[in-house]
Amino acid sequence: MAEEKPWALISEVGEQGYLEEMADIIKPHFHIISHKDFQQNPQLHGPKIQALLLWNGFPVVEPSLLGLLPSLKVVANGGVGIDHLDVPYINSLGVKVTNTPGVVSNATADIGMALLLASARKVVEGHQVAVDPKTTHIPQCLMGVEVSESTLGIIGMGHIGYKIAQRGKGFDMKILYHNRSRRSVEDEQAVGATYCENMDDLLKESDFVMLAVNLTPETTGLISHRQLSLMKPTATLVNVSRGLVVDQDALVKALQSGTIRAAALDVTYPEPLPRDHPLLGLPNVLITPHVGTNTLTTSLKMVQQMVDNAVAAVKGLTAPNEVKPK
């Protein structure tokens, strides 16, 4: 019966693609072909591929690739953000687009709090002092800022933002949030969150500002010179959304001038940054390489959701997490 399995195009199985454990979830449902092998003979392989499974944005979905896949039924994205996909264009080809909401929320909220804590308490600097062979005493420069009972402002209160609020509550933080729409009274009360209809109010009051929005035309450059100037000089900006949500030139100036205390970023634009980018040389910046969902547990859940979406689409059924154009 193995011959009846449909074909799926993936990036690769290996260090820069799917781990073996992840590929093992795909193989019972699809024959898989790597992008490298596909490129050896696209005319042979292209017509049989019905699913394109994207991991970390690869293979890159371009018209030139889609034109080689006449039988394609679904682009199944691993992750929530689909800013790298032209959904209306893909749909115009009769191809569905799906993503993996929900399963990424805990891990992404965890990395947000990890960045917040590491920046506030100078964890990386402390490690460097602790392992330095020249260290003979603990310098006062490792003095951090208090997290417990501070004010956390969350911009974007969807699945991930709400999980961040739950974690902030555990630190007895005062929770403010700004969102396109207000959460229910029950949701607010459960985490002790206060809605700020005007984002400026949140920026002025928060000790930590956490970005957890989707990248859209409206959120591109959401945080720039004016917004940074409203923040406290003791405040920290944490970004677990997308790099383009922040005007990086404005952020560099704000960090250099002391407009804000620090930034902790899991996302930048581009990724990785050019090695001579000024953000990389600032002592008050902490950067991780977009690892918000990088736990094995979450990655396996994401791949399972991708497979469920792709199998449904290939069978002509309703895909559980189909993305509709706005």
Side-chain angles (χ1 to χ4, degrees), residues 52-111:
L52 183 50
L53 306 182
L54 295 191
W55 191 255
N56 293 331
F58 292 98
V60 177
V61 180
E62 299 174 316
S64 56
L65 175 61
L66 294 172
L68 297 170
L69 307 175
S71 304
L72 189 67
K73 291 185 169 64
V74 61
V75 174
N77 184 63
V80 179
I82 41 88
D83 46 276
H84 54 297
L85 298 174
D86 186 342
V87 177
Y89 175 72
I90 296 170
N91 287 166
S92 75
L93 302 175
V95 177
K96 294 179 178 179
V97 175
T98 65
N99 65 350
T100 62
V103 295
V104 303
S105 301
N106 277 322
T108 307
D110 287 350
I111 201 75

Side-chain angles (χ1 to χ4, degrees), residues 9-310:
L9 177 61
I10 67 169
S11 53
E12 66 172 65
V13 177
E15 185 62 32
Q16 297 184 32
Y18 297 81
L19 300 176
E20 288 289 350
E21 301 99 314
M22 296 155 69
D24 287 344
I25 295 173
I26 304 171
K27 289 174 182 176
H29 305 277
F30 290 95
H31 294 291
I32 58 175
I33 182 169
S34 72
H35 189 238
K36 181 179 179 181
D37 289 343
F38 169 81
Q39 288 179 309
Q40 300 300 316
N41 196 337
Q43 286 72 32
L44 172 66
H45 301 301
K48 61 190 177 186
I49 290 168
Q50 297 186 59
L52 183 50
L53 306 182
L54 295 191
W55 191 255
N56 293 331
F58 292 98
V60 177
V61 180
E62 299 174 316
S64 56
L65 175 61
L66 294 172
L68 297 170
L69 307 175
S71 304
L72 189 67
K73 291 185 169 64
V74 61
V75 174
N77 184 63
V80 179
I82 41 88
D83 46 276
H84 54 297
L85 298 174
D86 186 342
V87 177
Y89 175 72
I90 296 170
N91 287 166
S92 75
L93 302 175
V95 177
K96 294 179 178 179
V97 175
T98 65
N99 65 350
T100 62
V103 295
V104 303
S105 301
N106 277 322
T108 307
D110 287 350
I111 201 75
M113 290 305 293
L115 285 166
L116 186 157
L117 288 161
S119 176
R121 299 305 304 272
K122 300 196 172 184
V123 170
V124 175
E125 297 94 322
H127 170 76
Q128 290 167 341
V129 168
V131 301
D132 188 337
K134 300 189 183 77
T135 295
T136 58
H137 68 283
I138 307 302
Q140 287 297 314
C141 67
L142 290 180
M143 189 71 70
V145 297
E146 197 80 9
V147 172
S148 295
E149 300 183 357
S150 63
T151 299
L152 171 61
I154 302 168
I155 299 176
M157 193 67 139
H159 278 287
I160 294 168
Y162 196 75
K163 293 286 188 179
I164 292 166
Q166 289 175 329
R167 285 150 178 75
K169 186 187 179 191
F171 285 88
D172 297 321
M173 300 176 89
K174 177 183 177 183
I175 311 292
L176 306 178
Y177 78 97
H178 174 75
N179 201 44
R180 285 177 301 178
S181 55
R182 186 170 182 171
R183 301 283 302 221
S184 68
V185 173
E186 293 77 13
D187 283 351
E188 290 181 349
Q189 290 178 343
V191 293
T194 301
Y195 179 59
C196 294
E197 186 173 358
N198 188 335
M199 189 174 76
D200 289 0
D201 296 333
L202 178 149
L203 293 169
K204 291 173 184 175
E205 294 183 39
S206 299
D207 299 304
F208 300 91
V209 174
M210 183 91 70
L211 303 176
V213 296
N214 290 324
L215 181 63
T216 66
E218 293 73 34
T219 61
T220 299
L222 182 69
I223 302 297
S224 192
H225 295 281
R226 191 186 76 83
Q227 291 75 25
L228 290 163
S229 70
L230 294 174
M231 292 172 62
K232 297 178 181 181
T234 53
T236 299
L237 180 70
V238 184
N239 189 7
V240 293
S241 58
R242 285 291 188 269
L244 284 171
V245 172
V246 176
D247 176 344
Q248 288 180 165
D249 292 337
L251 179 60
V252 168
K253 289 180 181 177
L255 291 163
Q256 289 174 331
S257 64
T259 301
I260 64 172
R261 171 190 168 269
L265 315 169
D266 186 47
V267 288
T268 59
Y269 185 81
E271 292 172 352
L273 288 171
R275 297 297 86 187
D276 60 350
H277 195 283
L279 274 177
L280 301 181
L282 295 176
N284 49 349
V285 177
L286 175 60
I287 303 176
T288 50
H290 204 154
V291 293
T293 60
N294 279 34
T295 72
L296 183 58
T297 297
T298 292
S299 296
L300 294 177
K301 288 179 181 177
M302 289 168 68
V303 173
Q304 185 61 61
Q305 199 167 51
M306 291 166 65
V307 168
D308 292 344
N309 286 326

Side-chain angles (χ1 to χ4, degrees), residues 309-322:
N309 286 326
V311 167
V314 166
K315 290 182 177 178
L317 305 174
T318 301
N321 302 111
E322 184 174 357

